[in-house]
Amino acid sequence: MNKKIWFEKELLRSSAFRSLSKWAMLVYLDFLRKRQMEPVKRARRSDEWVIKNNGEIVYPYSEAEKKEIGRREFRNAIDELIEKGFLDIAHQGSGGRSGDMTKYILDDRWKEHGTPAFRPARNPRRKDTRGGRGCSAFHAKQQKSPVTKSLPKKAVSSSKTDTPKEKSPTLSSDRSATPKERKKKITNHNDGENKAPSQLSLWSNECVTIL
């Protein structure tokens, strides 16, 4: 990695470079430090410098976090640099622990940014839609896990009793009446038995004399 960063005057004066956000500019400066420059001999012309490791430059999330760049800020910075023509993707990494990291190209499409000649990126960053896989899902799970563990258990309501619910009694058809009604029915049924015997008639077929 070079200790010095070389800028083109055209880059510093360009509207694309001056329109970069804070995080995009810092990330782009880190990419410039990762360049491996080498001269190319030209006949009857001054030497031209090219990027030897262009297309092989890596910049993982873990490195950005060590530089106190958040994951969201880093992701947005990469998208902005690709959109404005400073970067392109040579290889889209799969992430996770496989070590398959994304490799970037330092592009010069920024020279035509804002003009009809501007070309979009050949390989824009693909969003992770794997649902529960990759570094983003792992870090999201790590951030949610402390909150999940700290949730209190549901308190058992004091209104609930430990005894099983009483089953409602099933009454037969002949016992559907209330105790008072059953007592009343019994009373009416025995009226004939409890009633005092009626007064005998003054006249009787078996009697000859008058009582």
Side-chain angles (χ1 to χ4, degrees), residues 106-162:
L106 284 167
D107 208 340
D108 59 355
R109 294 181 295 110
W110 54 267
K111 294 180 179 180
E112 288 86 22
H113 183 263
T115 67
F118 181 75
R119 296 171 290 105
R122 292 176 300 175
N123 299 310
R125 186 181 67 85
R126 297 193 305 269
K127 294 183 179 181
D128 190 357
T129 58
R130 292 172 289 180
R133 296 173 57 191
C135 288
S136 58
F138 174 77
H139 284 277
K141 185 177 180 181
Q142 291 294 103
Q143 293 176 0
K144 291 181 180 179
S145 57
V147 178
T148 304
K149 292 180 181 179
S150 62
L151 290 176
K153 295 182 179 179
K154 292 183 178 180
V156 180
S157 176
S158 59
S159 61
K160 295 183 179 179
T161 57
D162 295 333

Side-chain angles (χ1 to χ4, degrees), residues 27-40:
V27 171
Y28 184 62
L29 293 178
D30 287 336
F31 272 103
L32 294 181
R33 291 183 64 247
K34 292 175 178 290
R35 294 179 301 179
Q36 295 177 7
M37 306 296 294
E38 67 176 0
V40 177

Side-chain angles (χ1 to χ4, degrees), residues 36-42 46-52:
Q36 295 177 7
M37 306 296 294
E38 67 176 0
V40 177
K41 298 293 183 180
R42 300 290 184 184
S46 59
D47 295 343
E48 182 179 352
W49 292 82
V50 296
I51 305 173
K52 181 179 178 181

Side-chain angles (χ1 to χ4, degrees), residues 75-114:
R75 182 176 61 248
N76 293 340
I78 293 294
D79 289 341
E80 183 179 355
L81 291 172
I82 292 175
E83 181 183 354
K84 294 183 177 180
F86 293 92
L87 291 179
D88 204 345
I89 294 178
H91 169 71
Q92 179 76 54
S94 60
R97 300 182 180 180
S98 61
D100 184 19
M101 294 184 291
T102 300
K103 297 179 181 180
Y104 297 94
I105 298 173
L106 284 167
D107 208 340
D108 59 355
R109 294 181 295 110
W110 54 267
K111 294 180 179 180
E112 288 86 22
H113 183 263

